[in-house]
Amino acid sequence: MTDHGSQAASDGLDPSAGLLDRTRTILRLSAKSDDFFWARWGTRPYAALILAAVHKRALTPNFLSVISLILGLASCAAYGFWPGYLGLWAAWLLGQASYTVDCMDGMQARYKRLFSPAGTSMDFLVDAIKQIFLFPAVGYRLWEEAGRPLGLLDGWALWTALLIGPVVAAGLATTVFLRSPEVTGATEREHREAHDVSLAGRVMAAVALLMNYPSWILLPVLFERMDIFLLISAPLYALYAVYSWLLVYKRVCGRDHYERAKPDG
């Protein structure tokens, strides 16, 4: 049998502490300095509350990632195929539940010290799949609401729905490549750190904030203006894809990236 008291103590939780005390402890042990505003104040507090309530359950962070993916795909389906204001709110609630569980997996990994070699990659994979499906779903919803027009201008939501999926996928795939061990060597890390403090790096940090759609998607849902959400998101993801490929060119396409083979003998 598992000694839940010993397990909780090893996790930094006092077995005799109340629910709110455990919640505060989890928040302290799992804090991140670079959190977005909505994650820090609008999501992590009640993510910590849920973790405190189920802290004796044998839930792994990667299992929570799978739950987040299921909820996220359900949210995408609701955005695409559940019309009306009720459907819009249902989609947002499912998406926020997915984001909450997504926060929970990282928080649990940090406060329980359950680190997996595949954990970061798993988290990125789940986020990528949700994004690839979300934006086409929103575009399809807008196209349906507009009466399924096929013109170049009045059917913009359809064309966006068809194109944004590959654009998002290209940007995310390039990110995976840039994070690969063959690319993220010491020299590339120095270049990245230098770029992060440059003007372009700061602009991309602002873009990253808007690309973190859970931080602000509530506003277009609240005012039923998902067209604004798509008109902001689509160009940003296209910009990110172009930016990522410029980084690929800069880091691996120059002659200084290659190593000459030593002659035999």
Side-chain angles (χ1 to χ4, degrees):
M1 291 181 60
T2 301
D3 185 343
H4 291 306
S6 299
Q7 179 183 354
S10 67
D11 294 338
L13 298 181
D14 182 356
S16 62
L19 179 63
L20 293 181
D21 287 335
R22 292 199 303 270
T23 300
R24 284 191 286 267
T25 300
I26 291 172
L27 281 172
R28 176 175 56 82
L29 295 175
S30 64
K32 290 177 64 178
S33 60
D34 58 346
D35 254 349
F36 291 109
F37 177 86
W38 182 250
R40 176 173 295 182
W41 302 109
T43 305
R44 293 197 188 277
Y46 57 89
L49 181 66
I50 297 171
L51 284 173
V54 301
H55 73 103
K56 293 183 180 180
R57 301 290 182 182
L59 302 176
T60 65
N62 288 345
F63 174 78
L64 291 174
S65 293
V66 173
I67 300 300
S68 174
L69 175 60
I70 294 171
L71 290 169
L73 292 178
S75 172
C76 293
Y79 274 119
F81 303 107
W82 191 339
Y85 200 49
L86 178 62
L88 199 57
W89 273 100
W92 180 82
L93 287 171
L94 285 166
Q96 180 59 23
S98 173
Y99 188 55
T100 301
V101 178
D102 185 35
C103 289
M104 286 169 59
D105 65 16
M107 293 170 69
Q108 186 189 52
R110 286 189 293 276
Y111 96 83
K112 285 192 173 184
R113 298 182 292 278
L114 297 174
F115 299 110
S116 161
T120 301
S121 298
M122 178 76 171
D123 193 54
F124 183 84
L125 173 65
V126 167
D127 289 343
I129 293 172
K130 290 188 291 186
Q131 291 174 63
I132 289 170
F133 280 94
L134 170 65
F135 299 106
V138 172
Y140 180 80
R141 180 190 191 89
L142 292 170
W143 182 62
E144 282 280 356
E145 291 176 346
R148 298 188 175 188
L150 297 176
L152 184 61
L153 295 179
D154 56 353
W156 70 271
L158 173 63
W159 312 127
T160 303
L162 292 173
L163 294 174
I164 193 170
V167 169
V168 171
L172 294 173
T174 309
T175 300
V176 173
F177 173 77
L178 290 169
R179 292 180 178 180
S180 64
E182 295 81 5
V183 177
T184 56
T187 302
E188 282 77 9
R189 283 197 297 270
E190 291 172 4
H191 288 170
R192 184 176 62 215
E193 291 167 1
H195 180 81
D196 287 344
V197 298
S198 67
L199 177 60
R202 295 181 187 278
V203 170
M204 290 310 301
V207 171
L209 175 62
L210 289 174
M211 289 176 66
N212 184 256
Y213 63 88
S215 298
W216 63 282
I217 194 173
L218 176 60
L219 290 175
V221 168
L222 185 64
F223 294 102
E224 295 186 90
R225 293 303 307 268
M226 297 307 291
D227 55 331
I228 294 178
F229 172 73
L230 199 60
L231 286 170
I232 292 175
S233 298
L236 286 179
Y237 274 87
L239 174 63
Y240 179 75
V242 172
Y243 169 76
S244 298
W245 269 101
L246 288 175
L247 287 182
V248 170
Y249 177 81
K250 180 179 180 181
R251 293 183 188 176
V252 304
C253 293
R255 293 179 61 86
D256 57 344
H257 175 73
Y258 292 87
E259 297 180 359
R260 290 186 179 274
K262 295 181 180 180
D264 295 335

